[in-house]
Amino acid sequence: MARTTQKKQGATKRGAETRTRIVEAAIEVVAEQGARKFSLDAVAQKAGISKGGLLYNFPTKAALMTAMVARHVDGFSRHFQEERERFASEGHPDPLMRGYLETFRFHLCRKSRPPSGFLAAIAEAPELLDPVREQNAKLMQTIREGCKDPGFAMMTFLTLEGIRHARLFDVDEMSDAETLAVIDRLIALTDRGSVGDTGARTAPQPG
């Protein structure tokens, strides 16, 4: 019985490692070739496995791309939690939003822009955005329940989402320096612990 359990655990671990290797290979392929030229054959070659092995783990291109988006979301969420805990330990007046701003600043302004063709992939497979929707829903609930100033927090969230989507649609006319200046201004306001007379301190609840 113990040997059977160990075999199952070993198989599960190997399967997880294989899926991780495939997702990492897919991210590299998109970074090198763009989403328009993204193919399962290219990913299999990059990962060093057969196409059949890839399809066993990810039966469709959409399933693989969803896993890629989920990996990005998970990485962002882990980084956000680390930053939130760090600012809380330092006694920041609003560690949630300060941590979110720091995480957003790092991921958006210190890393590459969204890969070319990603919008086309989303149009073909809207479920790619499911992990993003889940992340945003959790964040909004956290803002409603845990922010010192939910109204300012929502304003900040919408500002950052505007920056993110302008870059995704490739219609942003701001330089990286200008974008950083906006984010740093929001950080400065958050560090003050108050944004002045902003009106109601309670965020509206969804209808």
Side-chain angles (χ1 to χ4, degrees):
M1 179 67 71
R3 182 173 297 179
T4 300
T5 300
Q6 289 177 349
K7 286 184 178 180
K8 288 182 178 179
Q9 291 175 342
T12 300
K13 181 179 179 181
R14 287 192 298 273
E17 290 173 348
T18 299
R19 286 189 291 275
T20 297
R21 189 166 79 250
I22 292 171
V23 172
E24 290 176 348
I27 292 171
E28 290 181 20
V29 169
V30 171
E32 294 170 0
Q33 303 179 17
R36 288 189 179 90
K37 296 182 179 179
F38 176 77
S39 71
L40 297 182
D41 288 319
V43 174
Q45 183 177 8
K46 175 71 73 172
I49 64 172
S50 67
K51 186 174 180 179
L54 187 154
L55 291 173
Y56 176 81
N57 289 277
F58 298 100
T60 65
K61 183 189 291 188
L64 177 54
M65 295 194 76
T66 299
M68 293 164 63
V69 175
R71 180 181 175 87
H72 170 76
V73 169
D74 289 344
F76 186 96
S77 297
R78 285 195 300 272
H79 189 180
F80 170 40
Q81 186 60 31
E82 291 170 359
E83 292 292 349
R84 181 181 180 182
E85 292 173 357
R86 177 168 72 88
F87 284 108
S89 69
E90 295 173 358
H92 193 279
D94 194 344
L96 190 154
M97 285 313 299
R98 185 62 177 85
Y100 185 69
L101 280 161
E102 189 68 26
T103 305
F104 189 94
R105 189 183 196 279
F106 175 84
H107 283 267
L108 190 70
C109 297
R110 299 182 188 175
K111 292 192 173 184
S112 61
R113 292 169 179 257
S116 173
F118 188 63
L119 279 178
I122 292 175
E124 293 179 7
E127 64 271 19
L128 286 173
L129 291 178
D130 286 348
V132 179
R133 293 188 184 97
E134 292 175 8
Q135 181 194 52
N136 284 351
K138 291 178 181 178
L139 178 61
M140 291 306 296
Q141 187 62 31
T142 302
I143 286 174
R144 294 185 184 103
E145 296 175 352
C147 276
K148 180 179 179 181
D149 185 346
F152 174 69
M154 287 191 176
M155 182 179 72
T156 299
F157 173 77
L158 291 173
T159 299
L160 299 184
E161 285 299 290
I163 293 172
R164 189 201 306 273
H165 284 82
R167 292 199 163 198
L168 178 62
F169 281 87
D170 197 23
V171 295
D172 60 317
E173 296 299 327
M174 296 172 62
S175 67
D176 286 348
E178 289 171 326
T179 301
L180 279 170
V182 170
I183 296 174
D184 287 344
R185 175 62 173 163
L186 291 170
I187 287 174
L189 291 170
T190 305
D191 286 346
R192 281 167 45 189
S194 171
V195 293
D197 185 13
T198 58
R201 293 281 175 172
T202 302
Q205 297 297 312

